[in-house]
Amino acid sequence: MEEIHCSDKGKTFSDIYHHKLRAFFKRFDRDNDGYLSHYDYVEMTSINMREVIPRDKADIISQMKSEVWSKVMEPLGEITDGVVKVSIEKLCQLDFTTPEALKATAAAFSTFFDGVDEDGNGYISPDEFRMYFKGHGWDTTNANEGFKVIDTNKDGLISKEEFIQAGCNYLSQQDDTPFKNIYGPLP
């Protein structure tokens, strides 16, 4: 996985882009202290995932989240009381629109797909997608709407390509598209 660099000071992002990053931040700030930490982003997800999907699949997701943390999030953080913490302001400086960032995002979502595809059939079913939400501790009532947006060919399943494209669109698109709500409504 390549590192995703912070944007140049002169680059501006749309309000939608900032809302998506703020929603991402809020979903992962598990202890609601206003910062993301390894505990928030990796450890809590690992604990929750192991309760709802098989351990080997949960471990795939946990390992990728740990890699994302060390290469993307941790460099943004500041050490407070011996813990690396990332503020919302720092997260909003990330530029997921560069070719390098899109490549790294696609690689991460490819691995996440392998963890979510519980039965290994090459597709994510609506139930598997709900378990992905539940494993993150997110409101599963939003999973159905997110599933419908990601399932672009409307066959009732999410392919790896659809999942990767949705993840890349969510993190990189500046425009107001349906992909903004794949994890639930924006705040």
Side-chain angles (χ1 to χ4, degrees), residues 17-35:
Y17 184 80
H18 282 282
H19 283 307
K20 288 189 292 187
L21 290 182
R22 284 184 173 84
F24 173 92
F25 185 91
K26 185 176 180 180
R27 286 183 185 100
F28 283 105
D29 182 14
R30 305 300 173 104
D31 56 9
N32 294 310
D33 67 350
Y35 295 94

Side-chain angles (χ1 to χ4, degrees), residues 72-144:
V72 179
M73 304 294 209
E74 193 171 62
L76 297 174
E78 297 176 8
I79 299 175
T80 305
D81 299 324
V83 176
V84 175
K85 294 184 174 188
V86 178
S87 68
I88 184 65
E89 293 79 18
K90 290 290 187 180
L91 182 69
C92 284
Q93 291 176 6
L94 282 177
D95 184 354
F96 287 98
T97 66
T98 67
E100 299 82 19
L102 289 171
K103 183 178 175 184
T105 301
F109 275 88
S110 176
T111 301
F112 291 148
F113 180 91
D114 295 339
V116 179
D117 178 19
E118 189 176 327
D119 60 13
N121 69 351
Y123 296 94
I124 295 173
S125 70
D127 286 340
E128 288 170 329
F129 195 67
R130 272 190 293 285
M131 290 298 102
Y132 176 66
F133 266 58
K134 188 173 184 176
H136 277 93
W138 301 335
D139 183 354
T140 58
T141 59
N142 294 319
N144 290 337

